Amino acid sequence: ICQQDGSTTYLVGKYTQADYETDVSKESTVITYTGGDDNRVGEITLTCSKDDPGTATFLQEEPQLTYNLAYTGKYGCLVWVSTGTGSPVTKPSGGGGSGGGSLSLGSILTIVFFSLLVVYFVVGVIIMRFARGAQGTEMIPNRDVWISVPGLIKDGALLIVSPCRGQGNYEKV
């Protein structure tokens, strides 16, 4: 943050020395910037107003060399963000965001797919080993199908690419 007084510019605070304090009940965050020239400090209060594009105002210099500013608007709204530690933190939202920490449909389907694939292989190996007495690679369920998968993928890719290369040998109907 900078302060301009006539032709002189002062550093009020550095973003690398910022402190955040959130009041969830008021939907506001106070960011305090320190490390300015002559021990200047900048305090910005962010307040949520979801339909307002936003306005920033200088409030006062109280105490001396501490500059209080306020921003009210959609970019001051709080959004819950998962930190991966189990305790949520907040951040300014930018007016949108989905909030919540739930998984997307694609994530859920991927987890279900790979879970079922693991169950398929584990149960298949157990059945092949103990019910049919198979050993080694014979224990893989539907082994011949899994061995043919790479070739089938190659054939499918060539089928898709060959018309683009003009290599199709089809006769016009």
Side-chain angles (χ1 to χ4, degrees):
I1 301 176
C2 295
Q3 173 198 11
Q4 189 163 0
D5 185 12
S7 62
T8 307
T9 302
Y10 300 100
L11 178 64
V12 174
K14 299 178 181 178
Y15 74 91
T16 57
Q17 296 178 0
D19 226 4
Y20 300 87
E21 185 177 322
T22 300
D23 185 345
V24 178
S25 64
K26 294 181 183 177
E27 289 197 36
S28 68
T29 300
V30 176
I31 306 171
T32 304
Y33 296 93
T34 56
D37 296 338
D38 302 323
N39 293 324
R40 283 177 165 78
V41 175
E43 288 187 356
I44 301 176
T45 302
L46 305 172
T47 306
C48 180
S49 179
K50 292 184 178 163
D51 298 327
D52 185 4
T55 54
T57 55
F58 173 75
L59 299 175
Q60 62 187 357
E61 180 183 350
E62 181 66 37
Q64 189 173 5
L65 298 180
T66 298
Y67 301 91
N68 297 292
L69 300 109
Y71 171 83
T72 302
K74 63 183 180 180
Y75 298 107
C77 297
L78 303 174
V79 174
W80 291 104
V81 178
S82 175
T83 61
T85 61
S87 58
V89 296
T90 56
K91 71 173 188 176
S93 72
S98 63
S102 62
L103 295 172
S104 68
L105 177 63
S107 297
I108 293 169
L109 291 175
T110 301
I111 291 168
V112 167
F113 172 77
F114 283 107
S115 297
L116 290 175
L117 190 65
V118 167
V119 168
Y120 166 79
F121 275 107
V122 169
V123 171
V125 166
I126 291 171
I127 290 173
M128 294 296 285
R129 173 71 177 126
F130 296 110
R132 300 201 178 160
Q135 293 182 351
T137 59
E138 295 173 351
M139 292 191 312
I140 298 172
N142 297 311
R143 179 177 163 263
D144 294 336
V145 171
W146 292 109
I147 289 173
S148 68
V149 166
L152 294 171
I153 292 173
K154 176 187 167 203
D155 291 344
L158 290 175
L159 182 67
I160 291 170
V161 173
S162 64
C164 299
R165 293 183 172 177
Q167 297 174 348
N169 294 329
Y170 299 110
E171 295 180 18
K172 291 188 178 188
V173 178

